[in-house]
Amino acid sequence: MKRRDFLKASALATTSLFIPSFLKAFESIGLESVRGKKLVILQLTGGFDGLSAFIPYRNDLYYNNRPTLGLKRAESLRLTDEMGLNPAMGDFHKLWEKGYVSVLNNVGYPNPDRSHFRSMDIWQTASDSKTYVNTGWVGRFLDSGKLNPWEAIEIDDSLSLAMKGELVKAVSFKDPKLFYETSRERYFQDIIKGNPLSGNPTGNLGYLYQTLISADSSAKYIYDKYSLKTNSAAYPKSKLANDLKTTASLIDSGVSTKVYYVTQGGYDTHVRQDGAMTNNLKEFSEAMYAFITDLKSKDHLKDTIVMVFSEFGRRVKQNASNGTDHGAANNLILLGEKIAQKGFINELPNLADLDENGDMRYSVDFRAVYATLLNQWLGSNDKQVLGKSFNRLNFL
């Protein structure tokens, strides 16, 4: 096989990430097995500034630390007597008023790392800050339940570490139709049908050949389900909205996926934060409103929880460039009908007790959120997935 052809085939294989033992898994799935609870994970990449979204407008320390970035009470959308919402998040405010939003404050982990890459690895693997792990927590969820790769889907061209298990890796694609059409290209079909790899191939070539066969079967199943449903719901024109619309369509299609993973970037706001945050929060707010409304209209919201997280928050004090630098503890947002505690679940950030770097201290370990969702929502053994026990929270 020529190097160019090998790389072309590898591209499809690494996008689909199916393994041979699941070759014909899709064909045996009945509709009775596709009903169940869904978890949609939205990763806000770059370090989401919770204090720009959720405004403690009765706290003088907030304005002392943010003389130009701090939003006034009159500018904010009221959430409680103590807290307001960024005015760019008008659609999100509608979800709050409907009782679909819950917010955990002060979420983080011990000995926080302020590197984007390392902190994101920690969140995606659910490891300690000093421990390096090469599997993700969703991937280990697939492993622990002996699940199929398609039971976790990332709406992206590549697969995040969170979605990679030891035995099973999830599926990633931007567009189910394009994923299917790519798998049907003549080049790939010639390999699948003719097996030009001589003899009984082993090693990288053998794995590649077997993976392509499995990807072909998998792509066909997903697209056959997906194409049966036409999603006419109105969504705004943004990358995030398009990814969430694809997610909603997959949920409605009957594909028995348990976990979906979506990303919105642009939150590394060191310079002129106000403009960037306004745009990002408006895009997030409008896309999330369309998504939740879509799920509700099709009766899927009762079976779906959305978890929104970022690798860390921002420093409380603004910098000289009218932005904020990397921080530590942050907000984690949950959306859905079945969340027992609405609004702010726990204590508000204590701006009078910051750490030595001027960052908010954590009081909720993010792995406790994972443990709760794994055990009480997805019906999994959270200790097995996370490697140790964490106190489960009472938001479900």
Side-chain angles (χ1 to χ4, degrees):
M1 177 181 276
K2 295 179 181 178
R3 181 176 183 275
R4 181 182 62 186
D5 292 342
F6 177 79
L7 291 175
K8 185 177 180 183
S10 298
L12 178 63
T14 54
T15 297
S16 59
L17 288 168
F18 286 94
I19 62 178
S21 60
F22 299 107
L23 176 58
K24 293 294 181 182
F26 289 126
E27 283 78 353
S28 63
I29 302 168
L31 283 177
E32 68 279 358
S33 69
V34 305
R35 309 305 175 196
K37 294 176 178 176
K38 317 291 184 184
L39 174 64
V40 178
I41 301 169
L42 173 55
Q43 171 186 306
L44 305 181
T45 303
F48 168 72
D49 181 31
L51 285 175
S52 283
F54 302 103
I55 315 302
Y57 52 52
R58 295 188 64 180
N59 192 328
D60 290 340
L61 292 175
Y62 168 70
Y63 295 107
N64 291 341
N65 280 284
R66 299 191 171 197
T68 60
L69 288 182
L71 291 173
K72 305 303 181 186
R73 180 172 185 171
E75 301 175 276
S76 306
L77 304 173
R78 184 186 182 280
L79 298 177
T80 70
D81 290 341
E82 303 286 333
M83 299 293 290
L85 189 68
N86 191 296
M89 301 176 72
D91 281 342
F92 188 83
H93 190 250
K94 297 175 187 176
L95 297 177
W96 177 282
E97 292 185 319
K98 290 177 183 290
Y100 296 155
V101 179
S102 301
V103 180
L104 273 164
N105 300 301
N106 313 311
V107 180
Y109 55 89
N111 305 309
D113 195 298
R114 290 165 179 82
S115 159
H116 290 295
F117 304 105
R118 178 59 190 144
S119 189
M120 187 58 76
D121 279 354
I122 292 167
W123 275 83
Q124 292 192 357
T125 62
S127 67
D128 295 325
S129 60
K130 304 301 181 184
T131 304
Y132 291 80
V133 180
N134 59 10
T135 58
W137 73 281
V138 178
R140 296 196 301 273
F141 162 68
L142 296 176
D143 283 348
S144 68
K146 299 180 180 179
L147 302 178
N148 296 296
W150 43 262
E151 293 188 71
I153 293 177
E154 182 163 3
I155 310 300
D156 206 337
D157 291 324
S158 59
L159 201 63
S160 299
L161 177 57
M163 308 291 274
K164 299 177 181 179
E166 188 70 36
L167 302 173
V168 185
K169 293 178 176 62
V171 185
S172 65
F173 52 77
K174 290 288 291 181
D175 181 342
K177 182 180 179 181
L178 181 60
F179 179 42
Y180 171 68
E181 290 175 347
T182 301
S183 75
R184 305 304 294 171
E185 285 185 5
R186 180 175 177 180
Y187 171 75
F188 297 118
Q189 289 300 307
D190 286 346
I191 294 179
I192 291 166
K193 294 173 182 176
N195 186 8
L197 308 178
S198 60
N200 183 23
T202 60
N204 289 338
L205 292 181
Y207 177 80
L208 175 61
Y209 172 63
Q210 292 171 310
T211 301
L212 285 172
I213 299 175
S214 186
D216 179 61
S217 175
S218 306
K220 183 178 187 304
Y221 173 82
I222 292 173
Y223 181 64
D224 284 350
K225 291 289 187 185
Y226 179 82
S227 62
L228 292 175
K229 295 283 186 177
T230 300
N231 191 343
S232 59
Y235 279 76
K237 295 184 182 301
S238 69
K239 173 188 175 297
L240 177 60
N242 189 62
D243 291 347
L244 288 174
K245 184 174 185 178
T246 299
T247 302
S249 298
L250 287 165
I251 290 173
D252 194 44
S253 74
V255 175
S256 56
T257 303
K258 295 175 171 39
V259 180
Y260 295 89
Y261 204 94
V262 181
T263 300
Q264 183 195 21
Y267 286 96
D268 196 17
T269 51
H270 291 277
V271 179
R272 295 189 296 275
Q273 175 173 301
D274 48 355
M277 282 298 294
T278 295
N279 293 334
N280 287 339
L281 292 176
K282 185 174 188 294
E283 179 182 296
F284 164 77
S285 173
E286 291 176 348
M288 189 56 65
Y289 179 80
F291 180 61
I292 296 296
T293 302
D294 191 5
L295 293 182
K296 177 64 177 176
S297 70
K298 298 180 176 72
D299 201 33
H300 295 306
L301 189 57
K302 68 180 187 303
D303 298 319
T304 305
I305 286 179
V306 182
M307 183 190 81
V308 185
F309 82 97
S310 189
E311 67 264 40
F312 45 62
R314 314 295 295 185
R315 192 143 298 166
V316 174
K317 188 176 182 62
Q318 69 178 68
N319 61 30
S321 300
N322 206 34
T324 54
D325 298 321
H326 299 177
N330 201 6
N331 305 108
L332 184 146
I333 303 169
L334 299 164
L335 299 102
E337 283 186 332
K338 297 299 184 180
I339 304 168
Q341 294 180 271
K342 308 299 183 181
F344 293 105
I345 295 175
N346 60 337
E347 74 280 0
L348 298 177
N350 185 352
L351 302 187
D353 182 27
L354 305 179
D355 68 13
E356 64 278 5
N357 292 295
D359 298 328
M360 290 183 288
R361 300 181 187 275
Y362 92 99
S363 61
V364 177
D365 194 307
F366 73 94
R367 291 162 295 187
V369 182
Y370 292 179
T372 306
L373 291 169
L374 285 164
N375 183 272
Q376 297 181 19
W377 189 250
L378 296 175
S380 181
N381 184 328
D382 55 291
K383 182 177 180 181
Q384 182 181 354
V385 173
L386 301 177
K388 61 181 179 180
S389 295
F390 293 89
N391 292 329
R392 297 174 198 147
L393 307 177
N394 59 356
F395 59 78
L396 289 176

